[in-house]
Amino acid sequence: MAVSDGISPPRRIGLTMPRRRLLTHAVIFLVLVGLWEIGSRAGWLDPLFYPRPSNILRSFWLIYVQNGNVWFHLYATLGLVFAGFVAGSILGVGLGALVGFQPLVRRFIKPYVIVLEATPRIAVAPLLIAALGFGAPSKIAIIMLVCFFAPFINTLSGVVNVSEDRLELFNSLGAGKMQVLRKLVLPEALPVIMAGERLALTAALSGALVAEFIQRDQGIGSLILIYTRNLNMASAFACIFTLTIIGFLIFRGMEWIDNRIAFWNTEAGMARVGTKRALAFRGAHG
Amino acid sequence: MADIPDAPDAAGGRSFRTARLIPHLVLFAAILIIWEAAVRTGLITSIIVPMPSKIGAAIWELYVAKGTIYKHFFITLTEAVVGFAIGAAVAISLAVFSALSETFKRYVAPYAIVLNVTPGIALTPIIIAWFGFGMGSKIALAAVISFFPIFVNTLTGLIQRDEDREELFRSLGGSERQIFAKLRLPAALPLLFAGLKIGLTTALIGAVVAEFAQATDGVGVLMSRFSFQLNMAASLATLLSMTLIGLILFYSMEFLDDRIVFWRRETRRAAKSRAKTRRWKAQMGE
């Protein structure tokens, strides 16, 4: 089957919370933060390594407003992530479709895919930097490599695992090749492909960070590294919480896009588009 | 691992195995020859892409003649496995507690989600500052990164309820503990193992990335050292060892999966029931 993150949507296992519980959660969170602060002030936690929440907050103020230096690095990282993600997923989806439609190629590519999958792909980062030099090209290449794989495998398996029964129905009704592709293969493969894209975008962020750790020139990854080297842990944590927010936005954004594009995959999406179409139809016919 | 369906004609019996291997080997040899020729004629720069013969020589040197790789190989393998074991132990126990107690789940879940959307790799510099330059920091990063997929999969597996079967257990007088041990736990195992497999792969990535950032031993260090010496052949030979670690980890987990979750595979189930029959017959003195 296709790769998924192997992680079911949090909603299904009840990891999202209703609004009325938010207050209890907030209280618990504040108590934890308060304990941390008190522990640090009382000298149980070394503030050099475990920064105080108040210091982290001050760092947020510093790097976002007073110095404003985080914006430049954030912009650099996100630009790379975007470029690498787009390039990598176009490559992945394209090659996946190509291989999926060619049984012969598919047969011969399997061992290579297994080897590629077992290799930690991020490990190729130093090699790519040596080959392509410091700077954006090698970073983008690393991100491409990291996010190529999931869209590739998912497109491949999405295209291959088309339901036999439906295909037979299409053929018996005399559907042409393009019709099968557009009305059967694409709708069935798209949710799987989108799952791959979601994984790829998360991987792209990690890839960018690793590339920046190694190159240490600009970007949020090098910022974290430099702050930690200077034992400015509060600012390093502010950067990491920034990444948490970005990660959350990516997660939600991809979910939203997924719902829009592959609307037939969920009941709610089906209902939404169905109602809209019914209204349009009624409007057109008086 | 990704399961690419074979081409229809590739489905053969066991006796065809070796015969089917030949075209693969021929193709592999052809690729190597073309690659070698392209580099020798200068079509591809040998600095960026080394000749296969050079890579072969580097493999010979690293693995046989000098054997330098083994020390680093085992260090990285240990880091990944120990980190994975810690991450898995914490993840599984938290998941079991969450499955048993709704309240516990409600209060742990938000933190698990925050941990999930933060790219774990971003913590690398901080974890190194906390745990030092030795193996400890690599193990910690591997544990942090492999935690979430295992947690979510175990939790998902444990909270899926099969009402009919639980009813049967209850009507036969099964206690809550029996239902948990004999029904819910076995039902969760397939998902748990899927999570463990993902966790293992990510643990290896964590170990290698932490080695890139700061370390003295391990294949990650070897890899970046060779890359920055522009010794691409040796660098690729080192990459091969990471692939080997990945394959070893994956297939040992696959083996455990096959043995422990035996009821999912027809052949394993048959073998298991034959063994049980034999034991039973021996007991009955036949």
Side-chain angles (χ1 to χ4, degrees):
Chain A
M1 258 289 123
V3 270
S4 66
D5 38 12
I7 290 167
S8 35
R11 197 160 298 148
R12 193 166 9 128
I13 57 172
L15 289 193
T16 47
M17 46 186 150
R19 222 161 253 147
R20 64 192 160 81
R21 284 211 197 104
L22 213 60
L23 196 70
T24 349
H25 281 286
V27 169
I28 289 177
F29 179 72
L30 287 178
V31 167
L32 283 178
V33 170
L35 280 179
W36 183 0
E37 181 82 31
I38 292 167
S40 182
R41 281 183 194 276
W44 299 326
L45 287 169
D46 187 353
L48 193 60
F49 288 103
Y50 309 97
R52 289 173 193 163
S54 57
N55 284 347
I56 296 178
L57 266 182
R58 194 177 314 140
S59 291
F60 260 109
W61 173 261
L62 265 176
I63 62 175
Y64 275 91
V65 186
Q66 200 167 335
N67 298 341
N69 58 339
V70 83
W71 298 109
F72 167 75
H73 295 284
L74 209 54
Y75 182 71
T77 302
L78 289 182
L80 285 176
V81 167
F82 186 71
F85 167 71
V86 169
S89 54
I90 287 176
L91 196 71
V93 171
L95 275 181
L98 202 71
V99 173
F101 288 123
Q102 301 288 341
L104 194 68
V105 180
R106 207 158 69 218
R107 193 172 140 193
F108 283 103
I109 211 164
K110 194 170 178 176
Y112 302 96
V113 170
I114 291 177
V115 167
L116 201 69
E117 185 157 34
T119 314
R121 287 175 291 284
I122 251 176
V124 190
L127 232 148
L128 283 174
I129 291 171
L132 300 174
F134 282 88
S138 61
K139 286 182 186 166
I140 292 179
I142 292 164
I143 300 168
M144 267 178 78
L145 184 79
V146 169
C147 50
F148 158 81
F149 199 75
F152 170 74
I153 290 292
N154 279 23
T155 309
L156 176 53
S157 74
V159 164
V160 172
N161 293 327
V162 166
S163 138
E164 294 276 337
D165 293 345
R166 289 186 191 167
L167 188 62
E168 204 174 304
L169 178 66
F170 267 68
N171 285 336
S172 68
L173 290 172
K177 258 202 154 146
M178 273 322 276
Q179 278 175 316
V180 172
L181 190 65
R182 270 193 46 217
K183 309 249 164 183
L184 176 65
V185 176
L186 196 62
E188 280 205 7
L190 210 52
V192 187
I193 295 175
M194 285 307 293
E197 296 291 349
R198 207 188 285 192
L199 271 178
L201 193 52
T202 321
L205 192 56
S206 299
L209 289 174
V210 171
E212 288 165 0
F213 285 156
I214 299 175
Q215 299 204 5
R216 297 166 197 178
D217 50 351
Q218 57 179 36
I220 207 95
S222 23
L223 205 59
I224 295 175
L225 198 70
I226 291 164
Y227 280 140
T228 316
R229 287 275 161 84
N230 299 339
L231 283 176
N232 186 352
M233 291 302 221
S235 299
F237 266 96
C239 291
I240 285 172
F241 289 133
T242 304
L243 287 172
T244 306
I245 296 165
I246 293 175
F248 184 73
L249 290 179
I250 286 178
F251 183 78
R252 271 299 153 87
M254 281 310 264
E255 211 172 55
W256 187 81
I257 293 174
D258 196 5
N259 268 332
R260 294 276 133 174
I261 296 185
F263 61 87
W264 53 87
N265 210 28
T266 59
E267 289 280 328
M270 232 7 202
R272 175 167 46 80
V273 175
T275 327
K276 206 190 286 172
R277 286 198 181 156
L279 282 176
F281 180 81
R282 246 181 258 154
H285 294 264
Chain B
M1 212 161 275
D3 180 24
I4 301 179
D6 280 310
D9 56 337
R14 187 160 286 213
S15 54
F16 292 106
R17 273 260 168 90
T18 38
R20 263 181 21 217
L21 211 62
I22 292 169
H24 281 289
L25 291 177
V26 170
L27 180 76
F28 186 61
I31 291 174
L32 287 187
I33 290 169
I34 292 171
W35 178 356
E36 180 91 24
V39 180
R40 269 181 202 277
T41 54
L43 217 63
I44 308 173
T45 332
S46 61
I47 300 174
I48 297 179
V49 184
M51 278 179 276
S53 57
K54 281 259 179 68
I55 300 175
I59 291 176
W60 175 263
E61 198 186 304
L62 279 176
Y63 292 80
V64 186
K66 284 191 186 157
T68 35
I69 195 100
Y70 295 109
K71 181 185 149 209
H72 300 283
F73 181 90
F74 285 114
I75 284 177
T76 305
L77 185 67
T78 315
E79 288 163 356
V81 169
V82 174
F84 164 77
I86 295 172
V90 176
I92 292 176
S93 25
L94 282 185
V96 169
F97 284 130
S98 309
L100 291 176
S101 150
E102 184 66 28
T103 337
F104 186 79
K105 184 177 96 190
R106 201 181 301 145
Y107 291 116
V108 157
Y111 301 97
I113 291 206
V114 165
L115 193 64
N116 178 38
V117 295
T118 314
I121 279 178
L123 295 170
T124 315
I126 288 177
I127 283 181
I128 289 175
W130 281 351
F131 292 90
F133 294 160
M135 281 173 87
S137 53
K138 284 86 201 170
I139 291 172
L141 188 65
V144 167
I145 294 189
S146 58
F147 167 81
F148 192 79
I150 304 173
F151 172 74
V152 167
N153 273 32
T154 312
L155 186 54
T156 315
L158 284 173
I159 62 179
Q160 59 184 5
R161 306 295 278 265
D162 188 334
E163 292 296 334
D164 291 346
R165 288 191 183 166
E166 276 186 34
E167 191 85 347
L168 179 65
F169 266 72
R170 263 188 219 106
S171 65
L172 290 172
S175 65
E176 279 304 314
R177 179 180 291 179
Q178 279 175 323
I179 291 179
F180 189 81
K182 306 246 166 182
L183 175 65
R184 288 175 66 188
L185 206 58
L189 280 179
L191 261 172
L192 171 65
F193 268 100
L196 287 178
K197 281 181 205 167
I198 300 170
L200 254 187
T201 324
T202 49
L204 177 58
I205 290 175
V208 171
V209 168
E211 285 172 1
F212 284 159
Q214 194 96 56
T216 46
D217 302 299
V219 283
V221 177
L222 217 55
M223 173 102 194
S224 53
R225 203 180 292 159
F226 284 135
S227 296
F228 289 118
Q229 291 167 355
L230 287 181
N231 187 352
M232 297 302 216
S235 182
L236 280 171
T238 313
L239 184 65
L240 182 73
S241 71
M242 297 189 194
T243 310
L244 279 178
I245 295 178
L247 286 174
I248 290 172
L249 293 180
F250 182 84
Y251 280 109
S252 20
M253 195 46 80
E254 184 93 330
F255 176 79
L256 282 181
D257 188 6
D258 223 45
R259 294 284 139 159
I260 296 176
V261 196
F262 63 87
W263 57 89
R264 240 182 355 163
R265 281 256 178 105
E266 205 62 49
T267 48
R268 291 287 316 150
R269 202 161 57 192
K272 195 89 175 176
S273 72
R274 269 200 303 278
K276 274 195 178 160
T277 321
R278 260 201 309 279
R279 215 174 313 142
W280 189 73
K281 273 187 182 160
Q283 252 173 22
M284 302 304 276
E286 267 182 39

